[in-house]
């Protein structure tokens, strides 16, 4: 017995000695970089997400900051942002108030309407615009103020004090149908939006619009060392927010420091590649586990966790809450922040069928949308690539919407929607194609959601795999 005990102690001592040898200064430094790089990806996700869209605009279009890039038709797969809406007309303005306040002017909801969100560099909502926003459909001049602004706010403006110098406005010009005339009408209405600097003169400069339709606009998240290049750009551009000061030394470990050049060594870049992949795996696993569902026993879930939405809508002003992990997952899936979520739109996501299996492009599925969907405008269901959370590349169609041409209803008013590599015979208008070699996910949009959704008297059922 004594011999066994001595042997066990010797093994323990050997293990401790080996572990101590592994904790060399070089190895400790490497492990610190690995550990902090993973956390930096999760923490920095919303800002990098926004910067990727900005860089895509600057590199693929002629649009500039404080102008407007728009899509003159509902987006196709070449819009590789995260979960874009192929049943709306997009107008976006990436703004910068470093040189002074900027005005975004929304037209009155006459002959059209805007569902808009104005967010800072961290995609925290500053305000919503349009009938469900601060202007209540009357039109309004949203005045974005820089963090250090000390001047007066002129009358007649809706002041938005940003704690960052940059951000963007996502302004959807609502669509009545996919008919050419309605698309053109929606585009014409959206072009009434204006953006111009303060101070305002009687004749502010004309707003510049750049059409990005059919341009490959790739803003998908890069889970490699390039993520840290985007993150460094954010750090160099933006002031440190009080809540994020803990990250100053964390990022310094990674060679990201305000006012200093970012020059990672080749061996560090290799660590960044591996750390970004690990962060991706962590975030993906959490997404696969699912967010809290809206109706017990049904797999559809809101596209953002409640604690993250609450924190963002409140400007992260609760000193005892900062849901960085939930925020990180959310901004791997989509972009923009909504201040009044559930008013202009509401989003439900599903990544598994009724039986709890991931959606497989090699199979066929069916969703029955019950009658009397609780919407003032329309509902739609869209397919996205499970890996990138963008529209599936090289597919001509991405969604079925209640405003879509030829969408057939059942006798009871419900609508059958089919997902698969081929359309069921005679069901083309009610079918969304998928990549038979890939996985996919679904997003169900309700534009102008109404009480039955939230009171749970109307429920969207699970998607079922077909024989």
């Amino acid at each position: 017995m004594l011999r066994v005990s001595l042997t066990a102690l010797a093994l323990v001592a050997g293990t401790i000695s080996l572990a101590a040898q592994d904790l060399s200064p070089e190895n400790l430094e490497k492990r610190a970089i690995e550990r902090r790089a993973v956390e930096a990806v999760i923490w920095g996700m919303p800002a990098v997400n926004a910067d990727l869209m900005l860089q895509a605009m600057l590199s693929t279009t002629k649009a500039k900051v404080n102008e407007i890039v728009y899509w003159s038709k509902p987006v196709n797969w070449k819009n590789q942002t995260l979960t874009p809406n192929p049943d709306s007309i997009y107008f976006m303005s990436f703004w910068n108030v470093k040189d002074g306040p900027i005005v975004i002017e929304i037209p009155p909801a006459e002959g059209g309407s805007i569902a808009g969100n104005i967010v800072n560099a961290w995609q925290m909502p500053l305000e919503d615009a349009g009938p469900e926003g601060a202007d209540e459909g009357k039109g309004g001049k949203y005045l974005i103020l820089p963090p250090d602004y000390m001047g007066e706010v002129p009358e007649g403006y809706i002041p938005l004090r940003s704690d960052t110098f940059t951000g963007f406005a996502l302004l959807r010009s609502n669509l009545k149908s996919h008919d050419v005339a309605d698309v053109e009408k929606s585009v014409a209405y959206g072009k009434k939006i204006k953006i111009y600097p303060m101070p305002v003169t009687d004749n502010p400069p004309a707003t510049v619009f750049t059409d990005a339709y059919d341009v490959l606009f790739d803003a998908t998240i890069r889970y490699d060392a390039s993520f840290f290049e985007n993150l460094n750009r954010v750090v160099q551009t933006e002031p440190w927010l009080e809540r994020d000061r803990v990250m100053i030394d964390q990022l310094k470990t990674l060679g990201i420091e305000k006012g200093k050049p970012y020059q990672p060594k080749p061996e560090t870049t290799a660590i960044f590649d591996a750390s970004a992949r690990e962060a991706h795996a962590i975030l993906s696993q959490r997404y696969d586990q699912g967010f809290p569902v809206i109706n017990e026993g049904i797999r559809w879930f809101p596209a953002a966790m409640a604690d993250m939405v609450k924190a963002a809508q409140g400007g992260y002003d609760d000193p005892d809450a900062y849901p960085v992990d939930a925020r990180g997952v959310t901004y791997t899936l989509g972009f923009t922040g909504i201040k009044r979520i559930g008013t202009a739109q509401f989003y439900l996501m599903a990544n598994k069928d009724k039986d709890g299996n991931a959606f497989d492009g090699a199979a066929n599925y069916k969703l029955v949308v019950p009658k009397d969907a609780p919407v003032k405008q329309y509902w739609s269901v869209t397919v996205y690539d499970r890996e990138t959370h963008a529209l599936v590349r090289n597919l001509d169609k991405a969604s079925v919407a209640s405003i879509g041409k030829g969408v057939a209803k059942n006798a009871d008013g419900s609508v059958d929607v089919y997902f698969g590599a081929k359309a069921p015979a005679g069901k083309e208008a009610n079918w969304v194609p998928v990549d038979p070699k890939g996985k996919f996910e679904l997003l169900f949009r309700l534009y102008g959601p109404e009480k039955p959704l939230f009171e749970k008297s109307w429920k969207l059922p699970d998607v079922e795999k077909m024989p």
Side-chain angles (χ1 to χ4, degrees), residues 105-360:
E105 187 172 335
I106 302 297
E110 299 168 359
S113 64
I114 295 293
N117 314 110
I118 303 172
V119 302
N120 71 3
W122 288 90
Q123 303 200 51
M124 187 193 81
L126 300 179
E127 191 51 271
D128 298 337
E132 304 298 340
D135 63 276
E136 299 179 339
K138 300 173 185 176
K141 298 177 180 180
Y142 292 81
L143 178 61
I144 307 174
L145 304 171
D148 54 358
Y149 185 74
M150 301 297 290
E152 294 184 1
V153 175
E155 291 186 10
Y157 292 80
I158 301 170
L160 307 180
R161 185 173 293 278
S162 175
D163 54 7
T164 64
F165 290 112
T166 67
F168 67 90
L170 177 64
L171 307 167
R172 311 164 194 81
S173 185
N174 290 319
L175 197 60
K176 186 176 180 180
S177 79
H178 281 260
D179 290 343
V180 172
D182 282 333
V183 170
E184 291 177 349
K185 185 178 180 181
S186 181
V187 170
Y189 177 78
K191 283 193 170 183
K192 295 180 180 180
I193 299 167
K194 299 177 182 178
I195 179 168
Y196 47 83
M198 285 282 285
V200 178
T201 63
D202 292 336
N203 294 299
T207 301
V208 177
F209 291 85
T210 300
D211 188 359
Y213 181 74
D214 217 28
V215 173
L216 183 56
F217 192 100
D218 191 350
T220 51
I221 308 297
R222 277 70 155 164
Y223 293 99
D224 56 29
S226 69
F227 188 99
F228 299 90
E229 296 174 14
N230 292 86
L231 186 57
N232 176 68
R233 184 162 34 243
V234 173
V235 169
Q236 301 304 330
T237 302
E238 301 298 346
W240 275 108
L241 305 181
E242 191 63 32
R243 66 174 180 265
D244 289 325
R245 289 177 59 82
V246 68
M247 294 301 295
I248 293 176
D249 268 11
Q250 302 278 326
L251 294 186
K252 188 184 294 187
T253 304
L254 310 180
I256 297 175
E257 186 175 359
K258 186 175 286 293
K260 299 287 183 69
Y262 175 65
Q263 299 172 332
K265 299 176 182 178
E267 56 268 27
T268 304
T269 299
I271 295 173
F272 286 167
D273 280 331
S275 296
R277 289 193 297 269
E278 182 176 338
H280 185 198
I282 292 169
L283 293 165
S284 183
Q285 181 186 42
R286 184 158 187 177
Y287 170 61
D288 279 336
Q289 291 171 347
F291 298 1
V293 298
I294 189 171
N295 292 304
E296 191 66 32
I298 300 177
R299 297 186 183 279
W300 290 97
F301 54 85
M305 293 184 182
D307 56 346
M308 198 284 293
V309 173
K310 180 181 177 182
Q313 289 177 333
Y316 298 96
D317 58 357
D318 183 348
D320 297 317
Y322 193 13
V324 170
D325 289 345
R327 186 181 71 177
V329 176
T330 298
Y331 284 102
T332 66
L333 305 174
F335 60 97
T336 202
I338 302 173
K339 197 172 185 67
R340 298 172 175 84
I341 195 164
T343 55
Q345 65 277 104
F346 195 79
Y347 307 133
L348 293 173
M349 292 194 76
N351 51 26
K352 294 180 176 64
D353 64 18
K354 184 177 181 179
D355 297 324
N357 299 314
F359 293 126
D360 183 353

Side-chain angles (χ1 to χ4, degrees), residues 52-72:
L52 281 165
M53 291 190 291
L54 171 61
Q55 300 309 316
M57 183 196 76
L58 295 174
S59 64
T60 62
T61 77
K62 296 180 180 179
K64 300 182 178 71
V65 171
N66 296 337
E67 297 179 354
I68 292 179
V69 59
Y70 76 105
W71 282 259
S72 58

Side-chain angles (χ1 to χ4, degrees), residues 358-361 384-387 392 435 437-441:
F359 293 126
D360 183 353
Y384 297 101
D385 186 311
R386 168 63 188 82
E387 183 65 21
V392 181
D435 180 356
K437 297 180 181 179
K439 304 292 184 181
F440 67 94
E441 62 197 4

